[in-house]
C-alpha cells in the first residue's frame, strides 16, 4: 500500500482509531463519532502524524495492528482517471485476516465533496455494526473465567437481539453482571434499561410496574454517567418510552434528536427517532427517518427495527400493501420480531387477507401469549397522540383474531 494524498488507513480498536495521512476531515469526523465500540466512550482519533513511521514503507496489516495495539483495520485507496474518482475501502480483522466489509464509491471530481460525504456516512454506517458483530462473536468465544464488563455487555447484546423471552432474561442478567464489575459503564445501564422495558412491554414480566420503575432508574443513571454517547441516548430514550412513562415522552424525543446531532451517520437515532414520530402521528416524517437509517446502514443486523417502523408508518397512512412489504422485509431479517409480525398481521387484516392475518396472529400468540387488544396501548410507546389511528390498529388486531 502507498501512503500519501491518495491512500488512507484507519486502525480500529475498542479505544482508538489511528488515521494515516489522508486529507478527508469529513471521514475523520464521522469515524470519531462511532458509538458503542469503547467501554467508556466512542472512538477517538490519534493525530495523522502518528502514521509517519509507516509512510513510504511496505505495510503488513497484521504487523501494523500489533505495533499499534489494535484489533481491526480499515484500509482503502483513492484512484483518479480523467475527471472520475474511485474510493475503495475494506475492514479487516487483523488477527485472522478476515475481511468483514468492503465497498467502493465512484464519482466525478466536480462532485468530490458530495462523494466525500457519501463515503464518510457509508463507511461509518458499515463498520460500526461490523465491528460490534465481530466483538460479540469474540466475546462468545472467551472463557467465562476471563470475561470483563465489556464482554458481559457484548454477550448481553447478542442475547437481547434474539428477541425471545429466554434471550431477554439472559441479557438482563448479563447486563447486571457488567454493571457489577464496572458501575460507571454507561452503555450497560442503558442496555439494561431497554431490556427491562422490552420485557415489560412484551408481556414477559411478572411485575410490570416494578420492571417499568427499574427501566426508568437505569435509563436515568445511564444519562447521568454519559450524555455524549449516542447509543446511551437512544437506548435510554427508548427505555423511557416502552416502559410506559408518558411523562418522559418529551425527554425521550429530545434524546433521539441529540443522538442524531452527535452521530448523524449512525442508525440508532434515526430509527428510534422514527418510532417517536409515529407516536406523535407524524407518519411521513417517521418514514423519512427510517429511510435515512436504511440508506446509512442497509446491512446493519438491527435494520429490521427501522423496517418494522416503516411498516407501521405506512399502515397508519393507509398504505397497507407498502406496509406489508416492509413488514415482510423485517421478518426476513428477524422472524421473531414482534413489531413486524403485528404490523404484517394488521396490514393483511385491513387488506381483507383475513386468513393470512389469522395465521400471523398464531405466530404472535406463541411468542407473546399475553397480547390482548385492550392491552395494546399499554404495550405501545407512551404518548400515542391519535385515538382514531390507534382505534384502527386495534380493529385490525381484532380482525386477525387477537382476544379482547
Amino acid at each position: 500500500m502507498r501512503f500519501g494524498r491518495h491512500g488512507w488507513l484507519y486502525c480500529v480498536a475498542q479505544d482508538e482509531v489511528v488515521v494515516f495521512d489522508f486529507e478527508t476531515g469529513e471521514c475523520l469526523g464521522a469515524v470519531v463519532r462511532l458509538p458503542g465500540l469503547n467501554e467508556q466512550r466512542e472512538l477517538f482519533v490519534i493525530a495523522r502524524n502518528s502514521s509517519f513511521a509507516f509512510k513510504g514503507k511496505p505495510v503488513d496489516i497484521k504487523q501494523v495492528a500489533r505495533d499499534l495495539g489494535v484489533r481491526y483495520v480499515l484500509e482503502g485507496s483513492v484512484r483518479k482517471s480523467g475527471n472520475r474518482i474511485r474510493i475503495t475501502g475494506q475492514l479487516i480483522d487483523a488477527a485472522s485476516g478476515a475481511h468483514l466489509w468492503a465497498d467502493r464509491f465512484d464519482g466525478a471530481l466536480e462532485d468530490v465533496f458530495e462523494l466525500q460525504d457519501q463515503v464518510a456516512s457509508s463507511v461509518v454506517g458499515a463498520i460500526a455494526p461490523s465491528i460490534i458483530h465481530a466483538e460479540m462473536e469474540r466475546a462468545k468465544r472467551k472463557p467465562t473465567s476471563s470475561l470483563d464488563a465489556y464482554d458481559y455487555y457484548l454477550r448481553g447484546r447478542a442475547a437481547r437481539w434474539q428477541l425471545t423471552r429466554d434471550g431477554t432474561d439472559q441479557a438482563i442478567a448479563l447486563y447486571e453482571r457488567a454493571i457489577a464489575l464496572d458501575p460507571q459503564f454507561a452503555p450497560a445501564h442503558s442496555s439494561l434499561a431497554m431490556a427491562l422495558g422490552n420485557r415489560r412491554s412484551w408481556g414477559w414480566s411478572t411485575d410490570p410496574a416494578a420492571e417499568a420503575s427499574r427501566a426508568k432508574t437505569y435509563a436515568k443513571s445511564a444519562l447521568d454517567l454519559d450524555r455524549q454517547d449516542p447509543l446511551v441516548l437512544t437506548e435510554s430514550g427508548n427505555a423511557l418510552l416502552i416502559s410506559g412513562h408518558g411523562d418522559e415522552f418529551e425527554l425521550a424525543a429530545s434524546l433521539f434528536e441529540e443522538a442524531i446531532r452527535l452521530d448523524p451517520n449512525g442508525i440508532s437515532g434515526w430509527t428510534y427517532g422514527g418510532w417517536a414520530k409515529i407516536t406523535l402521528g407524524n407518519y411521513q416524517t417517521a418514514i423519512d427517518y427510517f429511510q435515512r437509517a436504511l440508506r446509512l446502514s442497509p446491512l446493519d443486523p438491527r435494520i429490521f427495527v427501522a423496517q418494522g417502523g416503516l411498516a407501521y408508518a405506512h399502515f397508519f397512512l393507509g398504505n397497507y400493501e407498502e406496509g406489508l412489504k416492509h413488514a415482510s422485509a423485517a421478518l426476513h431479517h428477524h422472524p421473531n420480531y414482534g413489531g413486524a409480525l403485528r404490523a404484517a398481521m394488521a396490514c393483511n387484516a385491513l387488506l381483507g387477507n383475513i386468513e393470512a392475518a389469522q395465521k400471523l396472529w398464531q405466530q404472535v400468540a406463541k411468542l407473546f401469549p399475553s397480547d390482548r387488544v385492550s392491552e395494546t396501548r399499554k404495550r405501545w410507546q407512551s404518548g400515542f397522540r391519535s385515538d382514531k389511528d390507534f382505534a384502527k390498529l386495534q380493529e385490525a388486531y381484532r380482525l386477525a383474531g387477537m382476544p379482547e
Side-chain angles (χ1 to χ4, degrees), residues 5-28:
R5 291 178 69 97
H6 303 305
W8 52 282
L9 177 69
Y10 299 101
C11 291
V12 185
Q14 288 171 215
D15 58 352
E16 61 185 31
V17 178
V18 183
V19 181
F20 286 87
D21 200 27
F22 179 58
E23 295 182 350
T24 171
E26 287 298 322
C27 210
L28 265 175

Side-chain angles (χ1 to χ4, degrees), residues 29 54 58 69 99 154 175 186 220 227 235 259 270 276 292 308 310 366 396:
F54 301 93
H99 287 65
L154 290 171
Y175 292 142
K220 292 297 184 71
R227 288 187 78 108
E235 290 193 330
W270 295 106
R292 180 67 177 270
L310 278 169
K366 288 179 181 178

Side-chain angles (χ1 to χ4, degrees), residues 222-397:
L223 294 172
D224 289 340
L225 289 167
D226 192 349
R227 288 187 78 108
Q228 297 301 308
D229 185 330
L231 187 63
V232 168
L233 296 178
T234 55
E235 290 193 330
S236 298
N238 197 48
L240 292 173
L241 290 182
I242 63 179
S243 298
H245 296 291
D247 57 327
E248 302 286 358
F249 182 85
E250 297 302 328
L251 170 60
S254 71
L255 292 174
F256 300 141
E257 297 305 316
E258 181 64 10
I260 291 171
R261 187 190 69 80
L262 290 169
D263 184 19
N265 296 314
I267 73 165
S268 294
W270 295 106
T271 298
Y272 293 115
W275 281 99
K277 298 300 181 186
I278 288 180
T279 303
L280 288 170
N282 299 334
Y283 305 124
Q284 187 55 56
T285 303
I287 289 171
D288 294 341
Y289 273 47
F290 293 132
Q291 288 178 336
R292 180 67 177 270
L294 286 167
R295 286 196 301 271
L296 285 168
S297 192
L299 301 180
D300 192 301
R302 304 162 296 168
I303 202 62
F304 62 87
V305 181
Q307 292 167 327
L310 278 169
Y312 269 112
H314 281 290
F315 169 83
F316 287 121
L317 287 173
N319 305 327
Y320 307 127
E321 291 281 4
E322 191 70 11
L324 185 57
K325 181 184 78 173
H326 290 294
S328 298
L331 292 171
H332 175 75
H333 283 98
H334 206 311
N336 288 338
Y337 181 33
L341 285 169
R342 296 186 188 98
M345 180 178 74
C347 287
N348 270 305
L350 295 195
L351 283 169
N353 303 329
I354 302 301
E355 184 176 350
Q358 290 174 339
K359 287 182 178 179
L360 285 162
W361 160 244
Q362 295 304 316
Q363 291 180 250
V364 172
K366 288 179 181 178
L367 289 167
F368 310 98
S370 64
D371 267 20
R372 296 293 184 270
V373 173
S374 59
E375 297 291 311
T376 303
R377 188 175 288 275
K378 292 181 182 179
R379 185 179 60 249
W380 196 265
Q381 293 176 343
S382 304
F384 200 94
R385 302 301 168 86
S386 174
D387 290 336
K388 179 181 177 182
D389 289 342
F390 207 82
K392 180 173 78 167
L393 179 65
Q394 291 178 308
E395 180 57 27
Y397 286 171

Side-chain angles (χ1 to χ4, degrees), residues 162-238:
Q162 294 174 22
L163 303 186
T164 63
R165 184 170 189 164
D166 286 346
T168 301
D169 290 343
Q170 291 170 21
I172 289 170
L174 289 163
Y175 292 142
E176 289 173 337
R177 179 61 176 157
I179 292 170
L181 289 172
D182 185 357
Q184 303 303 307
F185 187 13
H189 286 255
S190 62
S191 292
L192 176 56
M194 194 163 168
L196 290 165
N198 285 337
R199 189 160 69 178
R200 187 211 72 87
S201 67
W202 292 343
W204 295 337
S205 175
T206 57
D207 190 343
E211 208 93 288
S213 178
R214 287 189 70 206
K216 181 175 181 178
T217 297
Y218 279 107
K220 292 297 184 71
S221 65
L223 294 172
D224 289 340
L225 289 167
D226 192 349
R227 288 187 78 108
Q228 297 301 308
D229 185 330
L231 187 63
V232 168
L233 296 178
T234 55
E235 290 193 330
S236 298
N238 197 48

Side-chain angles (χ1 to χ4, degrees), residues 112-148:
V112 67
F113 294 116
E114 180 180 341
L115 181 63
Q116 182 173 287
D117 290 341
Q118 178 192 350
V119 172
S121 61
S122 297
V123 166
V124 171
I127 70 173
S130 297
I131 294 175
I132 284 291
H133 179 73
E135 285 290 281
M136 287 192 295
E137 292 301 313
R138 183 188 63 81
K140 288 180 186 177
R141 295 192 296 268
K142 289 186 70 173
T144 305
S145 59
S146 65
L147 294 178
D148 57 21

